Every structure is written in C-alpha cells, then in structure tokens.
Amino acid sequence: MKKKLFFSIFTAGALAGGLLSTKAIAQTEELSPEEEIRLVQEFNRMLAEGINPGEVWYEVGKDAIKKYNLDKCDLGLGPGVFKGAAAQLPRYFADAGKVMDLETRVGWCLQKHAGMTQDQVLKFVRQCWGKTGNCVSEYDGIIMYLTMESNGHKINVNLKDPRVKKMYDLGKQVYYARIGPWDFNCATCHAGKQEVRIRATRLWSADRPGEAGNAVAIFPKYLVRWGLPMTMHYRYAECIRQMRWPEFIPHSDLAVALSTYLYATGNGTEIKAPGIGR
Amino acid sequence: MKKTLFIAGLSVLVFGTAEAQQKKAQPKKEQPSTKQEDVMQVLNSGLSTDPRFAWKIQQDEAQRICSQYPSREVMPGQAIQKVIQLSQADIRYPQWGIFWGDWREGKKIVDNPRGGRFASYGFSDSPTDRGGNCYACHLIEKGLPGGTMGPNLYQYGKRWNITKENMNTPEALERVKIVYNIIYNSWSAFPCSSMPRFGHNGALSPEDVMNIVTFLLHPDSPVNK
C-alpha cells in the first residue's frame, strides 16, 4: 500500500483533472452520459490496479500536522500519540468536557494549538466542499493521516462510559427523527432488512449486520467523480442536503451524536482508509 | 407485505376507518431513552440557523409520532390512526377540483431531481427548483432506471383500470382522487411512509400533483404504454 504514496499532489490533481475536464467550481450532479462512462472506466481501472489517489492526502496531512502544531493534539492516548487513536473515537475528553469524534477533536486542537477561531476552523474544514478536482485541503489531509494511522485497528467505542452512551442514545434518536420539508430521517435510506437502491446506488443499512461498520471504517473515502476524499462530516453534510434539511454544521453535537451511534454500531470493524467510490 | 399495507391504507381512504389496523399491530411501548427536547437541541446544534430555512426544523405532530417508531410494522393502531387522520385533514385540491391535467408537465416534475435541496457550498441547486425526484425511489417508465425503495409504478394507470373509454366517469375520477391523495400526502394512505408528503410540505402545488397523477394514470402517458 505504501508504494502508492509516491503519487504527488500534482498527480492527484492531474488524475482528477484528466477525469472530468475538471473545474474547481460549483458542481452539478447530473453528468453527461459520456462523462458517466469515462468515470466508470476510470474507477474500474483504479480498482483493477489497486490505485487509491486518496492516499496522497496522507502526505499532505503529515506536513499539515507539523505546520499547525497538531503533534500536541491529544486524541485520547496522549499528545501526539496517533497510532490506533482514531479507532477509539468518539470518546469523552475531560479537557473539553465533551464527547468528541475525530473531526470535532481536530477542530478543538486547531483552536487550542494553532490559534484558529471557530469560524476559521469551519472555513478550513469546508475549503473543498462542493468543489471538484484540483482542490487539496490540508484539513482533509489531517483527517486522512490520523485515520490511516489507525488502519488495521478495530473500531472500539467505549459504551461503558455513560457520557458516551448518552451521546449514542441521542445519535440513535436523531437517526430516527423525521424532520424537514421532505420528511426524511437517516433511517429512510439506511435502515431495514431489505436491500434497496436509490436510483442505481445500493444503500447500506444499520439493521443489516456489519454494514454500518463497513460504511464508516473506510472514511475518508476517495470519490473519483470529485477527485477528492470525502471526510465523514462532509458525508453527513451531503446526506443532509439530500434530506432537504438546513445546511449541516461540521464539528457540532449533531455530528458527534451521529458518529457515536454509527461508530459504536460498527465496533469491531477494522479501519481501512481511504475507501474509494465513484 | 407492501400489498397488505396498501390495501389497509386504501380501506381507510375509502371507508374512513382504521379498525383493520388496530387489530393488526400490537401496541409496543414507545420508549425514547432521552427526552425529545434533548434530541431537538442536538439537531439544532448542527443545522444552519439561516432564517430562510429555519422553518424546516419545525417538527409537526405527524412527524413527531413517526419519529418514535423504527417502522410502521411496530406502530400501535392508535398512532397509525392519528397519523392518517392528521394527513387526511390536510389534503387540499386544485381550485377546479379533480380533473385531468397535462402529463407532459407532470413528467417534467417527476424527472427533476432538484427541488428543496440547497446548500451554500458549491452546488447549483436553487431553493426555487421544483421536482419530485420520483425515480430515485420508483421504477416508472419501461426502460428507464429507477430506485427500488418504493413500488414499481410501470403501467400504473392500467393497474387502476383507467381506460380511454372510462376515464371521465365518476368512478374513474374517484380513483384519480385516491392517487392524488397518495401523492399530495402519502401518509394519508401509508402512515409514516418514506415517501415525502409533497403537497403537505409545499414542495409541490395542487396543480403540480394533478399533472403528476395524470402522468401516472393517463392512457396516453408513456407510463401506460
């Protein structure tokens, strides 16, 4: 796997750039049939050759961690101890007095150790949202690096901690809360024993054993059509956009509640980042 | 199973009673482990407070009931009845009542994946787009891709026995009205269905719904070819 890390950022850009005559601007989701076909071919080629351009962000993240003093960041195993740390998140942090998931904790550390304000952090997080190709976000890199440091470790959220359990319960109820002008909840698309498709996309279900774990254990996931990795909070934002809810705010309690429910449901699943998808 | 529910839903529409359901489901205790206000607070923490969209987070009574059960199968009869009652009371019709609309206009709205989907980052959706994105969940026309979350709607008009000869009889228009009700407020027939209540929530107007019904039922529509 390490052999693929020799990709440079420029390769990533070129890869993505080659795909969709890419514009790093507002995207429409409706691709032309030719673009669809090209995309599928490109995706199949990457799968066949075992290439995952998402790994490029590992190097981006390694540099960014130094640049933003995140070697002081404590993910729960001590400052700068990152091996396996992502696998035990979300957890309770006494210094913050809150349960946090990986991304929320990184945001907290950016405020603490890099002197960013909350607004600056949110800008940093969303730098490449809605963009395709040629957009390399240091934030995505940091999350990629920290997650890949837990590759091979099994997700292990500590539900014996009542504070974590409370977040889990909240997350589960949020999962079933019907709100918004289209009446969706997460369960509309991600629950039930029967397998369903939305258009051509097969949906995972929290009610089928192993599927929640497999869904979260591969994040950040590289998306070939956008030419960049999608972090978990970006995924939440996208699902929530599909749900016609108001826009999602990363690093919120909502994000932490959802992560606590999903990752704890996936306890025991081995982390394998980055995933790859069309 | 889908079929029994459908029929149960219809019997309610037609006879205005939910007795059938009341026997069916054993009441299961609704047991939220956390308070409803806490859940709403968590939701509010993570959703934009842009005043243009704040109304989207107001949970209505039917939504509140549906949120308490993982699926309709475990809902007690009383809750089912309440949702149906609220939903039926809500249905509004076009100014001229039930009539045959324009299936081409209906098809446009059925096809449009946009509508109501808005985020400030990147995408080109606008808050005024109107679309039902029906094929995300349904197969509708022969040969066109569609999802499987909802039932196959291919030849839906034939299933309701609508023909060129009978389409303007009162009996046929009564069936048109039943389908109108399903699309205007799906929960009036299928309480807590994953299908959005398009009319109730104002995503589609009564005229939009009328055109969509025409697209699904009209003998000339490609759906029934």
Side-chain angles (χ1 to χ4, degrees):
Chain A
M1 183 235 285
K2 283 273 156 5
K3 76 174 162 19
K4 282 155 230 145
L5 293 179
F6 57 69
F7 278 112
S8 70
I9 299 168
F10 302 101
T11 332
L15 268 172
L19 276 180
L20 300 173
S21 60
T22 312
K23 330 142 189 78
I25 53 162
Q27 52 197 8
T28 54
E29 279 157 302
E30 284 70 57
L31 298 178
S32 73
E34 301 82 56
E35 280 171 328
E36 288 272 14
I37 291 167
R38 205 156 139 216
L39 194 64
V40 173
Q41 286 172 346
E42 191 64 21
F43 177 62
N44 289 341
R45 186 181 70 78
M46 285 181 186
L47 274 191
E49 296 177 11
I51 297 171
N52 188 333
E55 290 172 12
V56 169
W57 272 260
Y58 180 93
E59 299 296 332
V60 176
K62 201 173 187 174
D63 294 341
I65 279 177
K66 283 189 216 105
K67 179 168 161 194
Y68 295 102
N69 276 328
L70 293 181
D71 34 18
K72 296 208 187 74
C73 184
D74 182 354
L75 296 182
L77 304 182
V81 182
F82 296 143
K83 279 262 174 274
Q88 41 95 56
L89 294 172
R91 66 172 286 146
Y92 178 77
F93 288 95
D95 54 9
K98 282 168 88 161
V99 176
M100 294 174 159
D101 66 357
L102 174 65
E103 292 188 50
T104 307
R105 184 61 179 176
V106 166
W108 189 86
C109 285
L110 284 168
Q111 291 189 46
K112 205 83 190 157
H113 305 300
M116 288 192 190
T117 65
Q118 195 174 9
D119 279 351
Q120 284 168 333
V121 169
L122 288 183
K123 249 205 183 117
F124 192 57
V125 171
R126 292 189 282 216
Q127 189 186 328
C128 288
W129 286 22
K131 305 258 167 55
T132 54
N134 299 327
C135 190
V136 178
S137 143
E138 290 176 312
Y139 175 80
D140 292 349
I142 292 166
I143 301 304
M144 184 65 82
Y145 177 89
L146 294 174
T147 312
M148 284 177 73
E149 286 296 284
S150 285
N151 271 345
H153 292 253
K154 289 184 171 148
I155 300 175
N156 179 22
V157 179
N158 180 15
L159 286 178
K160 294 209 185 80
D161 182 333
R163 295 161 297 203
V164 178
K165 179 65 166 51
K166 177 149 194 273
M167 256 340 212
Y168 171 92
D169 288 338
L170 280 167
K172 184 165 184 179
Q173 271 183 272
V174 165
Y175 202 80
Y176 286 95
R178 310 279 308 248
I179 62 162
W182 284 47
D183 299 313
F184 285 131
N185 57 11
C186 306
T188 306
C189 294
H190 303 299
K193 291 271 178 244
Q194 207 194 337
E195 190 173 305
V196 297
R197 282 183 290 111
I198 252 204
R199 256 192 115 185
T201 309
R202 186 194 156 275
L203 296 165
W204 66 271
S205 163
D207 292 332
R208 293 193 295 266
E211 292 199 4
N214 290 338
V216 294
I218 56 165
F219 270 76
K221 178 175 173 181
Y222 182 80
L223 288 197
V224 177
R225 68 178 179 284
W226 293 352
L228 40 82
M230 184 181 220
T231 69
M232 202 67 228
H233 285 203
Y234 188 10
R235 182 70 253 178
Y236 295 155
E238 274 299 288
C239 284
I240 282 172
R241 188 173 69 86
Q242 301 296 348
M243 294 162 85
R244 279 81 175 170
W245 289 6
E247 190 170 327
F248 170 75
I249 303 169
H251 300 183
S252 54
D253 280 350
L254 173 58
V256 176
L258 287 172
S259 292
T260 310
Y261 175 57
L262 293 181
Y263 283 81
T265 304
N267 266 349
T269 317
E270 203 174 287
I271 294 186
K272 283 193 194 114
I276 185 165
R278 284 173 44 198
Chain B
M1 147 110 69
K2 278 258 162 63
K3 196 149 231 153
T4 34
L5 285 169
F6 178 52
I7 296 189
L10 276 190
S11 75
V12 172
L13 275 172
V14 176
F15 306 114
T17 157
E19 268 163 16
Q21 272 110 340
Q22 264 178 333
K23 284 192 225 100
K24 227 177 72 189
Q26 278 303 314
K28 192 169 173 183
K29 233 180 133 199
E30 38 194 276
Q31 187 41 284
S33 45
T34 7
K35 285 206 291 298
Q36 193 60 26
E37 305 88 81
D38 294 346
V39 176
M40 286 314 288
Q41 201 186 334
V42 166
L43 277 164
N44 281 308
S45 79
L47 301 175
S48 157
T49 53
D50 183 332
R52 285 177 301 168
F53 308 117
W55 61 275
K56 291 185 171 185
I57 332 186
Q58 301 302 320
Q59 198 174 42
D60 70 24
E61 192 180 352
Q63 286 178 328
R64 207 155 33 240
I65 297 171
C66 295
S67 300
Q68 288 164 16
Y69 309 95
S71 76
R72 185 164 52 210
E73 281 72 16
V74 300
M75 277 176 79
Q78 255 181 341
I80 288 181
Q81 196 174 1
K82 183 75 194 168
V83 172
I84 290 176
Q85 199 187 345
L86 287 166
S87 306
Q88 284 181 340
D90 156 81
I91 298 176
R92 301 284 171 272
Y93 296 95
Q95 204 177 340
W96 306 276
I98 292 291
F99 62 98
W100 287 101
D102 181 341
W103 66 259
R104 285 183 186 80
E105 286 303 312
K107 180 177 161 62
K108 280 188 211 154
I109 305 168
V110 164
D111 281 349
N112 190 352
R114 291 153 183 264
R117 212 174 46 173
F118 179 76
S120 64
Y121 55 90
F123 298 92
S124 53
D125 295 297
S126 95
T128 53
D129 288 332
R130 247 164 61 254
N133 202 12
C134 312
Y135 61 78
C137 299
H138 295 284
L139 287 155
I140 304 178
E141 281 177 70
K142 202 176 189 174
L144 292 189
T148 59
M149 190 180 290
N152 188 345
L153 299 177
Y154 180 51
Q155 302 218 317
Y156 196 62
K158 290 195 178 155
R159 248 194 282 166
W160 283 93
N161 190 23
I162 305 256
T163 64
K164 269 222 163 17
E165 291 69 40
N166 74 14
M167 61 184 278
N168 285 311
T169 61
E171 295 78 30
L173 290 173
E174 200 48 46
R175 297 200 290 276
V176 172
K177 185 173 173 182
I178 292 173
V179 174
Y180 179 97
N181 292 346
I182 292 175
I183 294 166
Y184 188 94
N185 188 330
S186 55
W187 294 3
S188 67
F190 309 103
C192 307
S193 173
S194 36
M195 176 156 150
R197 298 171 294 168
F198 290 106
H200 165 83
N201 292 316
L204 301 176
S205 70
E207 287 72 25
D208 291 337
V209 175
M210 210 59 256
N211 288 334
I212 291 174
V213 172
T214 304
F215 173 63
L216 292 181
L217 298 181
H218 200 287
D220 290 342
S221 159
V223 174
N224 296 306
K225 293 295 170 198

PDB file of all heavy atoms in Angstrom, chain A residues 14 35 61 97 110 112 123 153 159 175 199 206 235 238 246 250 276:
ATOM      1  N   ALA A  14      -3.746  15.967 -11.445  1.00  0.00           N
ATOM      2  CA  ALA A  14      -3.791  15.564 -12.840  1.00  0.00           C
ATOM      3  C   ALA A  14      -4.785  14.434 -13.043  1.00  0.00           C
ATOM      4  O   ALA A  14      -5.561  14.432 -13.999  1.00  0.00           O
ATOM      5  CB  ALA A  14      -2.398  15.138 -13.304  1.00  0.00           C
ATOM      6  N   GLU A  35     -19.520  11.480 -19.842  1.00  0.00           N
ATOM      7  CA  GLU A  35     -18.753  11.652 -18.616  1.00  0.00           C
ATOM      8  C   GLU A  35     -18.978  10.473 -17.668  1.00  0.00           C
ATOM      9  O   GLU A  35     -18.048   9.997 -17.032  1.00  0.00           O
ATOM     10  CB  GLU A  35     -19.159  12.960 -17.930  1.00  0.00           C
ATOM     11  CG  GLU A  35     -18.501  14.173 -18.567  1.00  0.00           C
ATOM     12  CD  GLU A  35     -19.067  15.503 -18.033  1.00  0.00           C
ATOM     13  OE1 GLU A  35     -20.268  15.524 -17.687  1.00  0.00           O
ATOM     14  OE2 GLU A  35     -18.315  16.470 -17.969  1.00  0.00           O
ATOM     15  N   GLY A  61      -1.342  15.558   4.926  1.00  0.00           N
ATOM     16  CA  GLY A  61      -1.698  15.643   6.334  1.00  0.00           C
ATOM     17  C   GLY A  61      -0.485  15.617   7.240  1.00  0.00           C
ATOM     18  O   GLY A  61      -0.413  16.353   8.237  1.00  0.00           O
ATOM     19  N   GLY A  97     -14.524  18.778  28.291  1.00  0.00           N
ATOM     20  CA  GLY A  97     -15.785  18.495  28.980  1.00  0.00           C
ATOM     21  C   GLY A  97     -16.866  17.963  28.049  1.00  0.00           C
ATOM     22  O   GLY A  97     -18.048  18.142  28.303  1.00  0.00           O
ATOM     23  N   LEU A 110      -7.146  22.520  16.668  1.00  0.00           N
ATOM     24  CA  LEU A 110      -6.756  23.636  15.801  1.00  0.00           C
ATOM     25  C   LEU A 110      -6.975  24.965  16.523  1.00  0.00           C
ATOM     26  O   LEU A 110      -6.204  25.910  16.370  1.00  0.00           O
ATOM     27  CB  LEU A 110      -7.545  23.603  14.485  1.00  0.00           C
ATOM     28  CG  LEU A 110      -7.094  22.556  13.466  1.00  0.00           C
ATOM     29  CD1 LEU A 110      -8.113  22.409  12.333  1.00  0.00           C
ATOM     30  CD2 LEU A 110      -5.710  22.886  12.890  1.00  0.00           C
ATOM     31  N   LYS A 112      -6.929  25.256  19.847  1.00  0.00           N
ATOM     32  CA  LYS A 112      -6.034  25.243  21.005  1.00  0.00           C
ATOM     33  C   LYS A 112      -4.567  25.458  20.601  1.00  0.00           C
ATOM     34  O   LYS A 112      -3.862  26.240  21.212  1.00  0.00           O
ATOM     35  CB  LYS A 112      -6.176  23.877  21.680  1.00  0.00           C
ATOM     36  CG  LYS A 112      -5.844  23.836  23.138  1.00  0.00           C
ATOM     37  CD  LYS A 112      -6.992  24.265  23.965  1.00  0.00           C
ATOM     38  CE  LYS A 112      -6.668  24.473  25.418  1.00  0.00           C
ATOM     39  NZ  LYS A 112      -7.673  25.396  25.989  1.00  0.00           N
ATOM     40  N   LYS A 123     -14.168  27.294   8.182  1.00  0.00           N
ATOM     41  CA  LYS A 123     -13.742  27.624   6.813  1.00  0.00           C
ATOM     42  C   LYS A 123     -12.717  26.609   6.311  1.00  0.00           C
ATOM     43  O   LYS A 123     -12.770  26.143   5.176  1.00  0.00           O
ATOM     44  CB  LYS A 123     -13.105  29.017   6.811  1.00  0.00           C
ATOM     45  CG  LYS A 123     -13.933  30.047   6.093  1.00  0.00           C
ATOM     46  CD  LYS A 123     -13.058  31.195   5.578  1.00  0.00           C
ATOM     47  CE  LYS A 123     -13.944  32.239   4.942  1.00  0.00           C
ATOM     48  NZ  LYS A 123     -13.864  33.531   5.657  1.00  0.00           N
ATOM     49  N   HIS A 153      -6.553  -1.316  12.915  1.00  0.00           N
ATOM     50  CA  HIS A 153      -7.110  -1.348  14.278  1.00  0.00           C
ATOM     51  C   HIS A 153      -8.630  -1.501  14.193  1.00  0.00           C
ATOM     52  O   HIS A 153      -9.252  -1.018  13.254  1.00  0.00           O
ATOM     53  CB  HIS A 153      -6.770  -0.058  15.021  1.00  0.00           C
ATOM     54  CG  HIS A 153      -5.311   0.098  15.321  1.00  0.00           C
ATOM     55  ND1 HIS A 153      -4.781  -0.042  16.583  1.00  0.00           N
ATOM     56  CD2 HIS A 153      -4.259   0.362  14.496  1.00  0.00           C
ATOM     57  CE1 HIS A 153      -3.471   0.135  16.534  1.00  0.00           C
ATOM     58  NE2 HIS A 153      -3.130   0.392  15.276  1.00  0.00           N
ATOM     59  N   LEU A 159     -18.773   2.191  25.115  1.00  0.00           N
ATOM     60  CA  LEU A 159     -20.148   2.492  25.517  1.00  0.00           C
ATOM     61  C   LEU A 159     -20.355   2.302  27.021  1.00  0.00           C
ATOM     62  O   LEU A 159     -21.428   2.603  27.544  1.00  0.00           O
ATOM     63  CB  LEU A 159     -21.136   1.627  24.744  1.00  0.00           C
ATOM     64  CG  LEU A 159     -21.353   2.016  23.278  1.00  0.00           C
ATOM     65  CD1 LEU A 159     -22.318   1.060  22.603  1.00  0.00           C
ATOM     66  CD2 LEU A 159     -21.862   3.449  23.161  1.00  0.00           C
ATOM     67  N   TYR A 175     -31.183   9.667  14.483  1.00  0.00           N
ATOM     68  CA  TYR A 175     -31.219   8.804  13.304  1.00  0.00           C
ATOM     69  C   TYR A 175     -32.653   8.531  12.863  1.00  0.00           C
ATOM     70  O   TYR A 175     -32.929   8.326  11.690  1.00  0.00           O
ATOM     71  CB  TYR A 175     -30.521   7.489  13.658  1.00  0.00           C
ATOM     72  CG  TYR A 175     -30.008   6.693  12.488  1.00  0.00           C
ATOM     73  CD1 TYR A 175     -28.804   7.023  11.866  1.00  0.00           C
ATOM     74  CD2 TYR A 175     -30.714   5.592  11.996  1.00  0.00           C
ATOM     75  CE1 TYR A 175     -28.323   6.287  10.804  1.00  0.00           C
ATOM     76  CE2 TYR A 175     -30.234   4.853  10.927  1.00  0.00           C
ATOM     77  CZ  TYR A 175     -29.035   5.197  10.341  1.00  0.00           C
ATOM     78  OH  TYR A 175     -28.560   4.465   9.281  1.00  0.00           O
ATOM     79  N   ARG A 199     -32.113   5.235  -7.037  1.00  0.00           N
ATOM     80  CA  ARG A 199     -31.647   5.187  -8.428  1.00  0.00           C
ATOM     81  C   ARG A 199     -30.767   3.964  -8.592  1.00  0.00           C
ATOM     82  O   ARG A 199     -31.231   2.867  -8.366  1.00  0.00           O
ATOM     83  CB  ARG A 199     -30.919   6.467  -8.786  1.00  0.00           C
ATOM     84  CG  ARG A 199     -31.775   7.377  -9.649  1.00  0.00           C
ATOM     85  CD  ARG A 199     -30.960   8.481 -10.232  1.00  0.00           C
ATOM     86  NE  ARG A 199     -30.870   8.412 -11.682  1.00  0.00           N
ATOM     87  CZ  ARG A 199     -30.133   9.227 -12.388  1.00  0.00           C
ATOM     88  NH1 ARG A 199     -29.397  10.123 -11.812  1.00  0.00           N
ATOM     89  NH2 ARG A 199     -30.127   9.134 -13.684  1.00  0.00           N
ATOM     90  N   ALA A 206     -28.341   0.171   8.742  1.00  0.00           N
ATOM     91  CA  ALA A 206     -27.927  -0.050  10.128  1.00  0.00           C
ATOM     92  C   ALA A 206     -28.535  -1.337  10.687  1.00  0.00           C
ATOM     93  O   ALA A 206     -28.089  -1.839  11.711  1.00  0.00           O
ATOM     94  CB  ALA A 206     -28.335   1.147  10.992  1.00  0.00           C
ATOM     95  N   ARG A 235     -19.650  13.795   4.378  1.00  0.00           N
ATOM     96  CA  ARG A 235     -20.701  12.819   4.032  1.00  0.00           C
ATOM     97  C   ARG A 235     -22.015  13.163   4.741  1.00  0.00           C
ATOM     98  O   ARG A 235     -23.087  13.137   4.152  1.00  0.00           O
ATOM     99  CB  ARG A 235     -20.232  11.411   4.399  1.00  0.00           C
ATOM    100  CG  ARG A 235     -21.190  10.280   4.055  1.00  0.00           C
ATOM    101  CD  ARG A 235     -21.314  10.045   2.566  1.00  0.00           C
ATOM    102  NE  ARG A 235     -22.590  10.498   2.047  1.00  0.00           N
ATOM    103  CZ  ARG A 235     -22.940  10.443   0.763  1.00  0.00           C
ATOM    104  NH1 ARG A 235     -22.097   9.988  -0.152  1.00  0.00           N
ATOM    105  NH2 ARG A 235     -24.107  10.872   0.378  1.00  0.00           N
ATOM    106  N   GLU A 238     -23.632  16.015   3.014  1.00  0.00           N
ATOM    107  CA  GLU A 238     -24.239  15.659   1.735  1.00  0.00           C
ATOM    108  C   GLU A 238     -25.549  14.907   1.923  1.00  0.00           C
ATOM    109  O   GLU A 238     -26.528  15.148   1.222  1.00  0.00           O
ATOM    110  CB  GLU A 238     -23.244  14.826   0.913  1.00  0.00           C
ATOM    111  CG  GLU A 238     -22.295  15.696   0.120  1.00  0.00           C
ATOM    112  CD  GLU A 238     -23.061  16.558  -0.869  1.00  0.00           C
ATOM    113  OE1 GLU A 238     -23.553  16.012  -1.864  1.00  0.00           O
ATOM    114  OE2 GLU A 238     -23.199  17.775  -0.644  1.00  0.00           O
ATOM    115  N   PRO A 246     -31.914  22.012   6.713  1.00  0.00           N
ATOM    116  CA  PRO A 246     -30.994  23.148   6.605  1.00  0.00           C
ATOM    117  C   PRO A 246     -29.544  22.640   6.597  1.00  0.00           C
ATOM    118  O   PRO A 246     -29.269  21.527   7.034  1.00  0.00           O
ATOM    119  CB  PRO A 246     -31.282  23.962   7.872  1.00  0.00           C
ATOM    120  CG  PRO A 246     -32.651  23.556   8.297  1.00  0.00           C
ATOM    121  CD  PRO A 246     -32.783  22.119   7.897  1.00  0.00           C
ATOM    122  N   PRO A 250     -20.418  21.274  10.517  1.00  0.00           N
ATOM    123  CA  PRO A 250     -19.452  20.294  10.998  1.00  0.00           C
ATOM    124  C   PRO A 250     -19.026  20.583  12.442  1.00  0.00           C
ATOM    125  O   PRO A 250     -19.164  21.710  12.916  1.00  0.00           O
ATOM    126  CB  PRO A 250     -18.259  20.429  10.043  1.00  0.00           C
ATOM    127  CG  PRO A 250     -18.551  21.547   9.123  1.00  0.00           C
ATOM    128  CD  PRO A 250     -19.929  22.053   9.368  1.00  0.00           C
ATOM    129  N   ILE A 276     -12.668   3.891  -1.521  1.00  0.00           N
ATOM    130  CA  ILE A 276     -12.770   4.538  -2.821  1.00  0.00           C
ATOM    131  C   ILE A 276     -14.145   4.259  -3.408  1.00  0.00           C
ATOM    132  O   ILE A 276     -14.718   3.196  -3.188  1.00  0.00           O
ATOM    133  CB  ILE A 276     -11.641   4.072  -3.786  1.00  0.00           C
ATOM    134  CG1 ILE A 276     -11.691   4.852  -5.103  1.00  0.00           C
ATOM    135  CG2 ILE A 276     -11.711   2.568  -4.031  1.00  0.00           C
ATOM    136  CD1 ILE A 276     -10.417   4.718  -5.937  1.00  0.00           C
TER     137      ILE A 276
END
